Amino acid sequence: MRRFDYYQPQSLSEAFNLMERLKGDAVYVAGGTDVIVKMKQGAISPKALISLRGIEELRGMESDGGIKLGSMVLFRELERDPHVGAKYYAMKEAASLLANPQIRNVATIGGNLCNAAPSADSAPPLIVLDAAFLLEGPGGSREIPVEEFFTGPGSTCLEDVEILREIRIPAPENKSGNAFVKLGRLKQDIAVVNAAAMVMMEGGVCKRCRVAVGAVAPTPLRLREIEQMVEGGSIDEELLGAVESKVKELVSPITDVRSTQEYRREVSGILVKRALKEALTRAQM
Amino acid sequence: MRKVINITVNGRSYEKPISSNQTLLDFLRHDLGLTGTKKGCEVGDCGSCIVLLNGRPVNSCLVLAVQAHGKEVVTIEGLATGEGLHPLQEAFIREGAIQCGFCTPGMILSAKHLLDKNPQPSELEIREAISGNLCRCTGYQKIIEAISSVSAQGQVE
């Protein structure tokens, strides 16, 4: 690794000051499981790292009906949290399938999101759970829906100095269920395709639906057309078959070391179907 | 950028100057001479560099030495006491869970953390706990049997 300076500010304002001073030369680092690897591989070589580890304000988890996650919450904490496990299944499943326990002891949810890989496991669950992100910079804070956060592979709408401070997930509605599914060579590998779904059912009719897929487009993708197909009727095999075909039309995957474009297109339809089925089962429990 | 860190490794305190681009792995191996922690892939895939950082298993190739300031580290060298090997070390030998031995320190530390938290794990829980540890000799079955034999004895420390 090239030489760099290392800073560990103790507050957000200290971090903003450092970043303003070092703008262009520094990157923020959370757990480091992506940033350090990129530095070792020479993909990035910042002159300075500003670590967010010392900032207490980014650490907590709070339930207020819904749940608020500091961006420095570890995947291992998420995976084990009883509140998350009780209602936010999609989030819990994504957390427990991300890499391996040793990585999850270090990797943070904010880091996974800010790294903005199209395959980020934490993104589809947050999309279907209608999460919002609180971004904070020296000029104040703003709240945006998850979908607006990702702007391309590895890029987000964060301004130079801004930090993802908090992830806010509203409480899932009654009679709703949500789920996350992932296909990798092994479960712990980076996803070939991942998907999440949420359905809210009333008397056998789907009142509200959310569907998202990852690793099949430049950003994690919310599939509004699929949601509209599902809402307003019952979820049966015929509908799921139509959903599967439609998903394949909506995605725009690439070929890389993990998979081919064709395979990703094929399985994205199947994964969305499985996620919907699983969400439906939970909604009916 | 040079920094001085205070760190406890296997119960012993050190105050050492380090450079900020040094990983905890290199610090342990080069500065402290603790070469039991192995350097494999260096990008967090293989688990041969796993150490316990404040009790939790982490890949020391992805942690900067400066980030371990004020923390407690246990490496494979810290497991044996004056009186003999740790039960997990004994079990790995007894069950033939070692082939080339390169993954062994990481495997044992992941297993130690598991058994500290959960003295009677299921086979699935054992497999999950070592899912970040790759054995290129592919001797997983014996490794799982070794860990499971210690949990059955209920003599983990």
Side-chain angles (χ1 to χ4, degrees):
Chain A
M1 257 188 299
R2 301 264 288 276
R3 287 188 172 270
F4 54 83
D5 293 336
Y6 181 86
Y7 301 93
Q8 191 165 302
Q10 302 300 306
S11 67
L12 279 171
S13 56
E14 200 187 328
F16 297 145
N17 287 340
L18 274 166
M19 190 51 107
E20 287 201 311
R21 184 154 65 78
L22 300 166
K23 214 185 283 185
D25 290 332
V27 299
Y28 289 124
V29 59
T33 55
D34 284 315
V35 169
I36 306 258
V37 172
K38 283 186 191 168
M39 288 169 69
K40 286 188 175 195
Q41 293 172 337
I44 55 169
S45 35
K47 294 199 181 105
L49 285 186
I50 302 175
S51 169
L52 305 179
R53 286 180 184 226
I55 305 176
E56 233 9 78
E57 300 143 275
L58 300 177
R59 288 216 164 263
M61 287 174 73
E62 200 185 308
S63 44
D64 58 340
I67 202 160
K68 290 179 177 173
L69 306 170
S71 56
M72 289 294 287
V73 165
L74 304 173
F75 280 102
R76 202 64 172 155
E77 297 175 80
L78 270 181
E79 176 188 1
R80 292 183 165 169
D81 186 82
H83 289 295
V84 174
K87 284 187 199 161
Y88 309 84
Y89 311 105
M91 195 62 243
K92 186 209 157 81
E93 281 156 358
S96 55
L97 291 176
L98 182 127
N100 56 57
Q102 290 78 16
I103 296 286
R104 298 200 291 272
N105 274 330
V106 179
T108 65
I109 183 158
N112 186 241
L113 293 165
C114 291
N115 188 53
S119 59
D121 284 333
S122 57
L126 291 174
I127 294 174
V128 304
L129 291 168
D130 291 320
F133 291 172
L134 183 69
L135 314 181
E136 189 161 328
S141 59
R142 57 186 174 127
E143 190 178 293
I144 58 155
V146 187
E147 293 164 82
E148 286 175 24
F149 185 69
F150 302 102
T151 53
S155 71
T156 69
C157 72
L158 281 167
E159 308 278 343
D160 284 346
V161 180
E162 252 178 345
I163 288 175
L164 168 59
R165 175 171 182 160
E166 191 172 82
I167 294 117
R168 297 175 166 174
I169 316 177
E173 291 172 286
N174 284 338
K175 301 179 192 163
S176 76
N178 59 81
F180 172 81
V181 290
K182 169 176 173 178
L183 183 79
R185 201 177 58 86
L186 295 171
K187 283 264 168 69
Q188 58 176 243
D189 286 333
I190 293 173
V192 166
V193 177
N194 54 24
M198 186 286 300
V199 292
M200 201 274 273
M201 305 296 293
E202 243 176 54
V205 173
C206 177
K207 291 288 177 190
R208 226 161 61 77
C209 173
R210 289 281 181 278
V211 175
V213 275
V216 290
T219 64
L221 201 61
R222 179 172 165 194
L223 298 174
R224 289 173 194 267
E225 288 184 51
I226 301 296
E227 295 169 5
Q228 284 159 12
M229 282 171 74
V230 176
E231 283 173 0
S234 66
I235 301 177
D236 54 23
E237 282 301 322
E238 193 190 333
L239 175 74
L240 289 170
V243 162
E244 184 185 339
S245 323
K246 187 71 186 170
V247 170
K248 291 186 214 169
E249 288 172 29
L250 295 172
V251 296
S252 52
I254 57 162
T255 295
D256 65 11
V257 289
R258 270 176 283 281
S259 182
T260 60
Q261 186 185 348
E262 293 79 3
Y263 184 68
R264 283 197 165 101
R265 189 179 296 282
E266 195 61 34
V267 294
S268 59
I270 297 168
L271 287 197
V272 165
K273 202 164 83 170
R274 284 188 194 158
L276 278 168
K277 274 190 182 171
E278 188 61 37
L280 176 65
T281 308
R282 287 183 180 148
Q284 290 166 338
M285 278 194 306
Chain B
M1 190 192 250
R2 300 287 288 179
K3 296 219 170 201
V4 173
I5 58 164
N6 294 297
I7 182 169
T8 305
V9 180
N10 300 330
R12 205 175 135 188
S13 305
Y14 298 87
E15 186 176 302
K16 290 265 186 190
I18 49 120
S19 60
S20 49
N21 63 345
Q22 206 174 354
T23 61
L24 175 61
L25 171 63
D26 285 338
F27 172 77
L28 293 169
R29 291 178 59 87
H30 300 160
D31 296 33
L32 302 188
L34 296 173
T35 54
T37 305
K38 300 303 178 203
K39 192 165 181 171
C41 70
E42 291 188 70
V43 289
D45 285 331
C46 79
S48 59
C49 68
I50 284 171
V51 300
L52 302 181
L53 183 66
N54 281 358
R56 287 196 309 215
V58 302
N59 294 293
S60 61
C61 71
L62 294 185
V63 176
L64 297 172
V66 59
Q67 293 173 324
H69 172 64
K71 302 217 159 97
E72 236 174 84
V73 175
V74 175
T75 71
I76 191 70
E77 288 91 344
L79 257 57
T81 60
E83 288 143 41
L85 294 176
H86 185 277
L88 273 165
Q89 292 173 308
E90 297 276 10
F92 270 60
I93 297 169
R94 189 179 60 241
E95 303 288 332
I98 294 173
Q99 292 182 52
C100 83
F102 202 82
C103 72
T104 311
M107 286 282 184
I108 289 184
L109 289 166
S110 291
K112 180 183 183 318
H113 174 73
L114 170 70
L115 297 181
D116 286 348
K117 293 248 159 193
N118 176 4
Q120 304 273 311
S122 64
E123 184 182 325
L124 188 68
E125 288 167 329
I126 295 176
R127 285 176 181 273
E128 203 223 340
I130 60 166
S131 61
N133 298 83
L134 304 185
C135 169
R136 295 302 306 269
C137 309
T138 67
Y140 293 104
Q141 194 52 42
K142 299 270 184 199
I143 292 169
I144 291 159
E145 284 166 15
I147 298 170
S148 154
S149 78
V150 175
S151 72
Q153 289 166 19
Q155 49 159 253
V156 195
E157 285 159 356

